[in-house]
Amino acid sequence: MGKPHGLDGSFVVEQASDDPKRFEPGAVLRAGGEEVRVEDRKHSGGRLVIRLDRPVPRGTRLEVPRGDLPTAGPGEYYVFQLVGLEVEEEGGRKLGVVTDVVPGPANDALELDTAILLPLVEACVRQVDLDGRRILVAPGFAPPDN
């Protein structure tokens, strides 16, 4: 959730979903672990502005209930599927655990609990094993051990 817009509780949505139906009036989202309903939606200066059925603290992450998400295609993953996976380099070196996926201008990056950022590109990420809770990456993308 972004900065306030007007006096009625509306706010700018940062990094909004590509699916415009997610923010239609009546749509159900999750904010801070609780269900909220979109009451109003508009655009201002090219940015999406919504008002929810109740106030939520600024900075609260808006989420779509998992059951409402479309199935990811081959080689596609949701952030919640990647967070918590162990990352290992080919050859066995453990690099850390994914804490977030950071959006970037050219590509997203895996943020690890060891402060390593790895580009989420085919040249780096060799395999994502959701069942095995592991991501295998090519050598050369993480800083060397000291």
Side-chain angles (χ1 to χ4, degrees):
M1 160 173 161
K3 66 182 184 174
H5 187 273
L7 301 175
D8 67 352
S10 295
F11 59 88
V12 175
V13 177
E14 304 291 341
Q15 300 174 351
S17 167
D18 293 335
D19 183 353
K21 290 182 275 183
R22 296 263 180 250
F23 301 104
E24 291 282 329
V28 175
L29 301 170
R30 295 193 62 78
E34 296 183 16
E35 275 194 3
V36 293
R37 187 170 308 280
V38 177
E39 293 288 316
D40 191 27
R41 166 193 152 153
K42 59 188 171 191
H43 283 83
S44 176
R47 299 177 308 170
L48 176 64
V49 176
I50 66 171
R51 182 173 45 83
L52 300 175
D53 63 350
R54 68 178 142 265
V56 295
R58 185 172 178 183
T60 300
R61 183 175 285 202
L62 297 176
E63 300 171 331
V64 175
R66 287 187 184 182
D68 292 350
L69 293 172
T71 304
E76 296 178 340
Y77 305 95
Y78 288 106
V79 171
F80 73 83
Q81 292 176 301
L82 301 177
V83 169
L85 298 186
E86 299 234 5
V87 179
E88 184 178 310
E89 227 174 27
E90 290 175 331
R93 181 168 74 126
K94 304 241 187 262
L95 300 178
V97 175
V98 177
T99 58
D100 201 1
V101 176
V102 181
N107 55 266
D108 294 344
L110 297 171
E111 182 177 61
L112 307 186
D113 62 350
T114 53
I116 296 173
L117 278 176
L118 297 171
L120 197 48
V121 296
E122 216 172 303
C124 176
V125 178
R126 300 290 194 198
Q127 179 187 35
V128 176
D129 180 359
L130 295 177
D131 293 331
R133 310 279 308 143
R134 180 178 85 121
I135 298 174
L136 185 64
V137 298
F141 286 91
D145 285 335
N146 287 337

